[in-house]
Amino acid sequence: MTDAAVPTARPHRASLLADDARMKRRKAAETRFRLYGLSAIAVSLATLAIMLWTIFSDGVSAFYQAKLTFPVTLSSDLLDPMGNGNRDEMVKVTTVGYNKLLTRAFEAELAAKGIDTGELSNKDVNALISKDAAGDLRAMVLANPAVLDTTITAKMLAAGRIDGYLKGRVTMQTAERDGQISPEQLQFADRLIDAGILSSQWNWDFFTNPDASDQRPEAAGLGVAILGSLYLMILVAVMCVPVGVAASIYLEEFAPKNRWTDLIEVNISNLAAVPSIVYGILGLAIFINFMGFPQSSTLVGALVISLMVLPTIIIATRASIRAVPPSIRDAALGVGASKMQMVVHHVLPLAAPGILTGTILGLATALGETAPLLLIGMVAFVDNYPSAPVEGFLDPATALPVQVYGWAQRADPAFIERSSGAIIVLLAFLVVMNVAAIILRRKFERRW
Amino acid sequence: MRLVNLTVSAIAIAAAATAADARDQVQVTGSSTVLPYATIVAEAFGENFDFPTPVIEGGGSGAGRKKLCEGVGETTVDIANSSSRIAQSDIDLCAANGVNEIMEVRIGYDGIVFASDVNGAEFALTPADVYGALAAKVAKDGAVADNAATKWSEVNPALPDQEILVFIPGTKHGTREVFDTKVIIEGCKATGAHDLFLATAEGADDKEKKANADKACNELRTDGRSVDIDGDYTETLARLDADKTAVGVFGLSFYQNNTDKLRVATMNGVVPSVETIAAGDYPVSRPLYFYVKKAHIGVIPGLKEYIEFFVSDEMAGPDGPLAEYGLVSDPELAATQAAVAAETPMGPLE
């Protein structure tokens, strides 16, 4: 026995159960470290909560709309002066004529229900009907002249300020200072609510109507923007997936490792970081000015966005192809498969979930992009729906984020609510796409 | 592989379709001040005519005119809206690209107003007050001195005892030009600073000297009391909301849509309104235009009808929807209508 076996005294350590000073410092540092992470998450969650709260508190009201319900007799002596139901003759009656019919029906209904209009002039009373209503009615009659001389129960949009009153944006105090509405008109609106003529209803029009001018915010909807975004997504998927997958397969499975492939690799990573406005400039120069594609069309928008998301998709696809273990490839080649059979029968199916997720996430970023669309004329007032594909891809359209941007700049405060409402719709689209990506990954993912 | 083929052929079909089909809707671009008026007209046009609704873009007067001058053909725009008159450089660019005949259409006038928070103090301004508050150098005791005013009441005792803070349109806005010429230079002249600048201005002849003096007038203070807003009026409104004592510059139509939030300032004692601007009493206003590529008339369906509809009495007249929205209708509208009907191209600039 040597004295090496003699346990040396440990003066700092009194007990295993009580921490000494150094241990306390370490543990405190550990706790602080965890707190940093926790507070970082708290900050981001708080920001997200504030953002969502602002958007939802401003935007939820866009999904409800004040409407006036009253019977309208579509008398043919006003709408079809020639009396022959000929559409060419009927188009000569403009919205001014239809407006006359509407206001007459509205005044008749007021008289029939005995609603007191107070001191208001007829003009002030009729100002409660949206300027869009006459156009709506005209489109309906021209589409189906058989409705002439019948009485329909018209559900007409109420003017924007009245809608604001029902939503609490317009009050008696603001109306006093407002040139467009008076407190008397609001009191009159109260009587209309009591009589059941004016009510707030679920607003399908917000999803289907096209954009509207500054004078009729109540009629503005997302129809053209949703269609435009949908067309963009379809086109981008059709163009990006084949090109992206083919490029990734070649780079991963066939390309020799040399200076050229290195250069291509560096370029792809660089392109993924190029600001999106640059692609817009490129699109304007190549697709519109050189190739002569029509301005504002979804085709040009999709080409530009495809260029933008292609690098992202290639990077994601290559990563998932690389994640397929080499043993699978070796086994396939070992039993005599050709290289193409190995890729198509074994690697691609195994990499598919990763490719899908990458593509969907790429499309989701593309869905929220406005900058490249700015230069190719898609940030515009578009009032007509694009026609059905394939021709519809050449028609002008807008996209959801473009509509958000456009409405945020309008003068009428009613557009603020619309803008936030459009953000909610856009967020819903993004959530659906991201959830789809997660589900697909969970369902098809393979672990080795 | 089949997918790749499909894509390629789809693009080829699309390209062929473009070449075969004429564009069937009017394309308009340009000033964001004219944009709301143009959308009002376009919407009514789409409702009442059998043509598709024109597609209208914003983006600024200068950018719009440049786009108009890119050339002739379906891929170029038909109309550029503009809140300032076309410049010789634009006309030269147009000519270089084969756009030889442009029609100039004046649609009316737009007022520019100063406004503050609705619960704030009242402002009765003159161009001299604005100049005294915002210029970098002012006339003091017969000499040019740095602007030291920090409160409105120091500029003019009749004004509120309130810190000076004004949000003005950024230099890329067409509105800034009017603000500079109709307010700042007028104020510069009224306070006598213009004469002082003129006396020391460099230049070969009187014209150059005057231009340099104007330039000296337009130098605004850079100590943060005059803030350029490069965004839209909505941004100015948001800034006013955050800074209740500030004053902002707006278009008349924007103010009219937000009378519940804004208190308008008088200029030379005149309250801005469609009537006072039409009568010429309110000094700060400017004409609005759009420019039409004549080569496209007869090629793009509905173009002629759209411009005729735009200047018709039922749209641009004193009782039309544009006037209701804040456009001051042009007293010479009948002459404009005749020129549009005859498709008269504009002559050289005077």
Side-chain angles (χ1 to χ4, degrees):
Chain A
M1 286 291 153
T2 59
D3 39 10
V6 176
T8 45
R10 300 177 81 183
H12 299 299
R13 193 123 195 78
S15 150
L16 268 177
L17 297 174
D19 291 341
D20 64 6
R22 251 175 78 190
M23 196 49 147
K24 273 186 190 147
R25 271 209 307 280
R26 275 177 62 188
K27 283 195 172 167
E30 175 96 15
T31 321
R32 275 204 307 278
F33 189 65
R34 272 170 55 187
L35 274 180
Y36 294 147
L38 203 64
S39 51
I41 289 180
V43 166
S44 19
L45 279 183
T47 327
L48 184 70
I50 292 170
M51 194 189 83
L52 287 181
W53 188 77
T54 352
I55 290 172
F56 276 81
S57 61
D58 279 353
V60 168
S61 55
F63 298 98
Y64 289 89
Q65 194 68 41
K67 287 199 174 175
L68 295 158
T69 317
F70 55 94
V72 179
T73 307
L74 302 164
S75 55
S76 56
D77 51 318
L78 258 178
L79 305 184
D80 186 17
M82 307 300 282
N84 51 13
N86 184 348
R87 193 181 175 280
D88 293 339
E89 298 289 341
M90 282 166 66
V91 294
K92 286 185 186 147
V93 181
T94 61
T95 43
V96 180
Y98 281 84
N99 203 26
K100 220 175 275 167
L101 182 94
L102 261 181
T103 54
R104 213 184 274 177
F106 188 49
E107 283 159 21
E109 171 75 359
L110 293 180
K113 290 225 170 153
I115 296 166
D116 175 26
T117 55
E119 309 264 293
L120 296 172
S121 67
N122 274 352
K123 191 168 170 257
D124 288 341
V125 168
N126 292 325
L128 263 65
I129 307 175
S130 163
K131 291 190 173 65
D132 203 56
D136 251 12
L137 198 65
R138 182 173 184 269
M140 193 193 87
V141 171
L142 288 182
N144 179 19
V147 294
L148 276 182
D149 283 323
T150 60
T151 301
I152 56 165
T153 309
K155 277 190 181 179
M156 290 299 165
L157 288 169
R161 289 290 201 267
I162 296 297
D163 181 48
Y165 177 56
L166 265 67
K167 289 169 181 167
R169 187 178 63 237
V170 175
T171 61
M172 292 289 173
Q173 285 81 36
T174 62
E176 270 170 33
R177 297 184 293 234
D178 197 327
Q180 296 186 9
I181 196 99
S182 64
E184 290 75 29
Q185 280 172 307
L186 294 184
Q187 283 156 9
F188 173 57
D190 279 336
R191 290 195 288 276
L192 286 181
I193 296 171
D194 293 339
I197 297 178
L198 178 65
S199 62
S200 196
Q201 301 176 1
W202 176 253
N203 187 11
W204 276 120
D205 296 343
F206 186 60
F207 301 98
T208 56
N209 266 4
D211 197 359
S213 74
D214 279 44
Q215 276 188 323
R216 27 182 114 157
E218 63 277 4
L222 287 169
V224 174
I226 291 178
L227 260 185
S229 276
L230 197 72
Y231 281 15
L232 277 179
M233 291 302 100
I234 293 173
L235 282 172
V236 171
V238 165
M239 289 188 277
C240 273
V241 172
V243 177
V245 171
S248 323
I249 290 175
Y250 181 80
L251 283 175
E252 279 302 313
E253 302 289 340
F254 295 96
K257 262 271 173 224
N258 60 23
R259 236 185 245 180
W260 288 110
T261 46
D262 281 350
L263 190 73
I264 289 173
E265 204 153 313
V266 169
N267 269 317
I268 289 174
S269 320
N270 271 339
L271 279 179
V274 167
S276 53
I277 189 92
V278 175
Y279 291 101
I281 297 171
L282 185 82
L284 176 68
I286 294 183
F287 300 125
I288 294 179
N289 292 348
F290 178 67
M291 289 167 79
F293 287 148
Q295 287 229 6
S296 320
S297 64
T298 39
L299 176 70
V300 178
L303 285 168
V304 169
I305 289 181
S306 296
L307 289 179
M308 196 188 86
V309 296
L310 200 52
T312 330
I313 290 184
I314 292 181
I315 290 171
T317 308
R318 288 187 66 184
S320 52
I321 290 180
R322 219 175 296 147
V324 176
S327 56
I328 305 260
R329 293 187 182 83
D330 295 341
L333 292 176
V335 296
S338 72
K339 223 171 177 190
M340 185 182 142
Q341 284 171 327
M342 178 267 283
V343 169
V344 177
H345 296 174
H346 301 282
V347 176
L348 266 191
L350 289 172
I355 297 175
L356 266 178
T357 339
T359 310
I360 291 176
L361 293 181
L363 288 182
T365 38
L367 184 66
E369 200 56 67
T370 33
L373 303 182
L374 198 67
L375 286 164
I376 57 163
M378 280 187 80
V379 181
F381 172 79
V382 182
D383 200 27
N384 292 113
Y385 301 103
S387 48
V390 176
E391 269 170 48
F393 293 146
L394 296 171
D395 288 341
T398 54
L400 278 171
V402 167
Q403 204 66 73
V404 173
Y405 172 72
W407 284 345
Q409 293 174 322
R410 299 282 183 91
D412 196 299
F415 278 107
I416 296 171
E417 144 201 313
R418 302 262 151 184
S419 190
S420 299
I423 297 176
I424 295 176
V425 173
L426 183 63
L427 283 179
F429 266 71
L430 290 175
V431 167
V432 166
M433 288 177 86
N434 287 337
V435 167
I438 291 172
I439 290 176
L440 285 173
R441 198 170 56 215
R442 285 270 165 85
K443 192 154 184 204
F444 296 110
E445 199 176 41
R446 276 277 190 98
R447 289 187 185 280
W448 285 284
Chain B
M1 278 299 145
R2 278 206 2 236
L3 257 179
V4 179
N5 276 336
L6 252 173
T7 325
V8 173
S9 47
I11 293 176
I13 291 168
T18 338
D21 265 348
R23 169 152 66 81
D24 53 7
Q25 78 285 335
V26 176
Q27 287 264 8
V28 185
T29 186
S31 164
S32 35
T33 308
V34 185
L35 181 70
Y37 300 115
T39 52
I40 289 169
V41 176
E43 192 171 57
F45 181 77
E47 263 174 11
N48 287 312
F49 286 74
D50 268 350
F51 297 106
T53 309
V55 171
I56 305 186
E57 269 186 89
S61 303
R65 295 196 301 253
K66 218 170 262 162
K67 248 183 156 174
L68 183 80
C69 290
E70 261 169 9
V72 176
E74 272 165 32
T75 58
T76 59
V77 297
D78 309 313
I79 296 177
N81 293 328
S82 181
S83 60
S84 49
R85 203 153 185 229
I86 197 165
Q88 190 56 46
S89 59
D90 294 319
I91 296 178
D92 294 344
L93 179 69
C94 268
N97 289 329
V99 185
N100 294 318
E101 286 189 311
I102 310 169
M103 286 163 64
E104 180 180 66
V105 182
R106 190 173 62 208
I107 58 169
Y109 294 84
D110 175 40
I112 289 164
V113 307
F114 288 79
S116 50
D117 188 76
V118 71
N119 298 317
E122 268 191 61
F123 281 88
L125 296 169
T126 64
D129 294 337
V130 179
Y131 181 79
L134 296 184
K137 291 184 190 300
V138 290
K140 203 172 184 187
D141 307 327
V144 175
D146 280 342
N147 192 350
T150 57
K151 293 195 164 170
W152 286 100
S153 51
E154 292 170 29
V155 178
N156 179 351
L159 289 172
D161 180 25
Q162 210 168 290
E163 291 281 326
I164 296 171
L165 179 60
V166 185
F167 299 117
I168 61 172
T171 43
K172 70 170 192 179
H173 282 278
T175 316
R176 177 61 174 268
E177 210 180 299
V178 192
F179 175 80
D180 281 347
T181 52
K182 295 264 168 94
V183 181
I184 295 296
I185 295 200
E186 287 304 312
C188 189
K189 284 178 181 157
T191 54
H194 194 267
D195 293 333
L196 297 174
F197 286 133
L198 203 56
T200 55
E202 291 171 17
D205 51 22
D206 281 355
K207 206 176 151 194
E208 210 177 313
K209 273 186 186 168
K210 192 182 164 297
N212 278 332
D214 284 354
K215 217 165 116 191
C217 285
N218 281 334
E219 295 269 335
L220 297 186
R221 60 200 300 180
T222 51
D223 55 359
R225 293 190 183 274
S226 150
V227 181
D228 278 18
I229 302 286
D230 279 328
D232 288 85
Y233 294 135
T234 37
E235 188 188 336
T236 315
L237 182 65
R239 298 285 284 270
L240 274 194
D241 208 31
D243 236 317
K244 303 272 187 208
T245 55
V247 176
V249 175
F250 296 95
L252 176 68
S253 58
F254 189 91
Y255 159 69
Q256 287 189 339
N257 270 290
N258 291 283
T259 41
D260 53 329
K261 296 189 201 75
L262 294 172
R263 183 193 289 273
V264 75
T266 59
M267 184 59 73
N268 293 338
V270 182
V271 180
S273 72
V274 170
E275 292 79 28
T276 52
I277 293 168
D281 296 335
Y282 186 78
V284 198
S285 71
R286 44 118 180 238
L288 300 177
Y289 301 92
F290 63 79
Y291 293 90
V292 186
K293 204 179 284 176
K294 206 186 153 190
H296 284 192
I297 293 181
V299 179
I300 304 293
L303 177 57
K304 176 88 185 281
E305 287 82 356
Y306 169 71
I307 54 179
E308 279 186 326
F309 184 59
F310 204 129
V311 295
S312 66
D313 285 330
E314 73 185 291
M315 293 313 290
D319 301 318
L322 299 186
E324 196 185 319
Y325 188 71
L327 183 76
V328 180
S329 76
D330 190 343
E332 293 160 29
L333 194 61
T336 312
Q337 286 164 351
V340 165
E343 300 177 14
T344 322
M346 71 180 290
L349 291 177
E350 301 98 49

